[in-house]
Amino acid sequence: ELMRIDGEMHLGPGPATEAGAMSVPHVLNLEGIVLPKAGRYAFDVRVDDVHEVTVPLRVTGPARVNA
């Protein structure tokens, strides 16, 4: 585990998918987070301490700048 973010979300009624799921787009501020090397990482999303989904993250090396 490289980091942990705890918090609460309060969601109101809204449109649901056919499966009864709800889409909740949001942005995580990862400023200051250091990933030790390029490679594959993942965010595990837990709700009430139950694993709901894993969101993959692929980290590449620094962008090349042509001088």
Side-chain angles (χ1 to χ4, degrees), residues 26-67:
H26 60 281
V27 176
L28 295 176
N29 181 353
L30 301 179
E31 183 177 351
I33 300 300
V34 177
L35 300 172
K37 61 182 181 176
R40 295 176 189 256
Y41 295 86
F43 291 99
D44 289 325
V45 178
R46 299 178 72 81
V47 176
D48 295 330
D49 208 30
V50 174
H51 180 265
E52 295 291 335
V53 68
T54 297
V55 180
L57 172 66
R58 181 173 169 246
V59 176
T60 59
R64 295 183 183 189
V65 177
N66 295 328

Side-chain angles (χ1 to χ4, degrees), residues 10-23:
H10 299 278
L11 305 172
T17 65
E18 289 181 24
M22 183 185 297
S23 177

